[in-house]
Amino acid sequence: MRAAVIYESMFGSTRQVAQAVAAELSDHMEVDVFEVGEAPLVLGDVQFVVVGAPTHAFSLSRPSTRAEAALKAPHGLVSTQIGLREWLEAVEVPAGVQAIAFDTRVDRHLVGSAARAATRKLRKAGFRVLAEPVSFLVEGIQGPLAVGELERARFWAEELAASSAAMAG
């Protein structure tokens, strides 16, 4: 099985989660990791996609919220091109590709979620959504990840590998 982990990240926390997920998945399948601006718009032989993004204004980022984030980034943003929202609206999805979304967010009790918005867009694009989205917490807008979140991301990825293999088989 071949997987792609595609992430949008402003200050680096979402990238850290994506890299941890990809590292764990790579024990079970071939995995490519892409910052969303570098992600292919045609998936080719990928059977499983994990997408991740930071929660901005209760949803996926928009050009305006990315511009606001840039004003708060002393060392620049990780993602400087398109966001996950735009990628999901443009990607060509072969039949049967499984997918799941995660986000990073400051407070688990906030009403909105980039991962929930991404899950809706995954379905609309034609992906077969594997499970409910997951949120990983950050200590503040610029991070860092909350204590234990990278370990939780690795455990989640282990569960994803087992679930995607079972559904593919």
Side-chain angles (χ1 to χ4, degrees):
M1 179 176 273
R2 183 172 200 84
V5 177
I6 300 165
Y7 68 89
E8 173 185 350
S9 187
M10 297 296 111
F11 306 108
S13 297
T14 309
R15 175 179 55 196
Q16 284 183 290
V17 173
Q19 290 170 337
V21 167
E24 191 62 42
L25 289 176
S26 70
D27 289 344
H28 307 277
M29 59 189 77
E30 292 183 52
V31 180
D32 294 309
V33 182
F34 299 99
E35 186 279 324
V36 70
E38 304 297 324
L41 292 175
V42 178
L43 292 177
D45 64 347
V46 171
Q47 293 91 31
F48 181 50
V49 175
V50 178
V51 297
T55 298
H56 275 219
F58 309 109
S59 190
L60 289 165
S61 75
R62 296 183 177 327
S64 61
T65 63
R66 291 193 294 274
E68 286 177 32
L71 297 174
K72 300 173 186 172
H75 305 292
L77 299 177
V78 173
S79 295
T80 59
Q81 299 173 44
I82 66 169
L84 189 60
R85 175 188 301 272
E86 292 85 1
W87 184 82
L88 286 168
E89 291 170 354
V91 67
E92 294 179 26
V93 184
V97 177
Q98 300 174 71
I100 193 163
F102 74 87
D103 65 20
T104 53
R105 54 197 315 188
V106 175
D107 183 347
R108 78 176 70 233
H109 303 294
L110 287 177
V111 176
S113 161
R116 284 197 300 267
T119 298
R120 287 189 298 275
K121 291 196 172 290
L122 285 167
R123 284 188 178 106
K124 186 174 181 183
F127 288 96
R128 191 169 51 142
V129 174
L130 183 63
E132 291 298 311
V134 173
S135 293
F136 296 95
L137 300 179
V138 293
E139 296 292 334
I141 292 172
Q142 294 184 27
L145 284 165
V147 173
E149 291 300 86
L150 275 181
E151 293 77 16
R152 194 166 73 85
R154 289 183 191 102
F155 181 76
W156 180 65
E158 181 71 30
E159 291 178 329
L160 290 178
S163 296
S164 64
M167 287 186 75

